[in-house]
């Protein structure tokens, strides 16, 4: 299995070097790392270019950026990784074992930060995902290239692309829900408040399941994310 890591980024100059340095052991093991930039106005592109195998440019939006990265990938397995998420040291072996059993999967997540509520939120996210088979981007979703192409890639929507992808992937089988945890930043939770952020995400997800336009949801989400 050759793994391609696709990392969508936008104005990540403050953290992109740390994020990509963490992936150098995977590159040394033969994995490909692609950075998909959505129009950064800072030094993200200049900083990322020497630390990845390929940098692609795409219109802003995680779905569009991840699709652009996947389109240029050389691997037969794809891992979609947020810039603020860190993989466990044995991620490659874990993914290989998982994809030998199913076409897609994800990791459990741990949210980095001081508030104790973040640990509870992460535990609930992992439990809900294991129960429903729905994975979120914070859980480092991975899949075979063949399944990704069969599903027609991520839907070109500005929010909830991970939920949409998971729902469609479930038609081809349940994901492998790895108990090994990735570590994701709690910065947005701490910046805007843990409980307000939780309530916002619950509201947005409920509206999505009730048929709300993802563009409208993205407009409501963006002020709380930036």
């Amino acid at each position: 299995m050759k793994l391609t890591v696709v990392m969508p980024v936008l104005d990540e100059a403050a953290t992109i070097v740390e994020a990509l340095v963490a992936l150098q052991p995977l590159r040394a093991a033969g994995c490909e790392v692609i950075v998909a930039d959505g129009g950064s106005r800072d030094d993200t592109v200049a900083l990322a270019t020497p630390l990845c195998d390929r940098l692609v440019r795409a219109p802003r939006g995680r779905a569009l950026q991840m699709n652009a990265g996947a389109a240029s990938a050389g691997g037969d397995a794809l891992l979609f990784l947020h810039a603020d998420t860190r993989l466990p040291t044995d991620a490659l072996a874990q993914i290989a074992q998982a994809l030998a059993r199913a076409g897609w999967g994800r990791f459990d997540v741990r949210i980095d930060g001081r508030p104790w509520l973040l640990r509870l939120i992460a535990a609930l996210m992992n439990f809900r995902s294991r129960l429903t088979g729905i994975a979120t981007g914070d859980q480092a979703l991975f899949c075979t290239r063949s399944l990704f192409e069969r599903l027609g890639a991520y839907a070109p929507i500005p929010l909830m692309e991970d939920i949409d992808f998971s729902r469609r992937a479930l038609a081809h089988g349940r994901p492998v829900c790895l108990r090994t945890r990735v570590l994701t930043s709690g910065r947005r939770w701490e910046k805007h408040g843990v409980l307000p952020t939780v309530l916002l995400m619950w509201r947005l997800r409920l509206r999505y399941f009730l048929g709300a336009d993802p563009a409208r949801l993205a407009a409501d989400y963006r002020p709380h994310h930036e």
Side-chain angles (χ1 to χ4, degrees), residues 39 78 97 107 111 134 136 152 196 209:
L78 304 170
Q97 292 170 12
F107 290 86
I111 304 173
I134 300 293
T136 66
F209 281 119

Side-chain angles (χ1 to χ4, degrees), residues 15-86:
T15 58
I16 190 62
V17 171
E18 178 189 348
L20 292 175
V21 165
L23 296 179
Q24 298 311 299
L26 284 181
R27 292 183 73 198
C31 298
E32 178 182 49
V33 174
I34 295 177
V35 173
D37 184 73
S40 294
R41 293 164 293 182
D42 59 10
D43 294 330
T44 297
V45 169
L47 293 170
T49 298
L51 293 171
C52 65
D53 296 287
R54 189 173 303 110
L55 188 139
V56 299
R57 299 175 189 266
R60 177 175 176 171
R62 274 189 176 147
L64 299 175
Q65 291 169 237
M66 292 188 293
N67 286 346
S72 65
D76 49 17
L78 304 170
L79 167 66
F80 299 97
L81 185 68
H82 292 178
D84 62 357
T85 301
R86 302 291 174 264

Side-chain angles (χ1 to χ4, degrees), residues 133-205:
I134 300 293
T136 66
D138 288 332
Q139 293 171 310
L141 190 150
F142 54 85
C143 64
T144 63
R145 186 188 186 104
S146 60
L147 177 61
F148 187 79
E149 292 175 346
R150 200 176 312 138
L151 294 175
Y154 282 100
I157 54 179
L159 197 67
M160 304 293 175
E161 74 287 337
D162 46 2
I163 307 301
D164 172 83
F165 185 89
S166 295
R167 291 169 74 175
R168 290 184 289 123
L170 277 169
H172 299 268
R174 290 186 62 84
V176 176
C177 295
L178 294 173
R179 294 193 179 275
T180 307
R181 296 182 296 178
V182 296
L183 178 66
T184 195
S185 171
R187 62 185 178 182
R188 76 175 185 270
W189 306 86
E190 294 181 324
K191 179 179 179 181
H192 300 290
V194 176
L195 285 177
T197 302
V198 170
L199 293 174
L200 171 68
M201 296 309 298
W202 282 356
R203 287 198 307 270
L204 293 174
R205 185 168 293 194

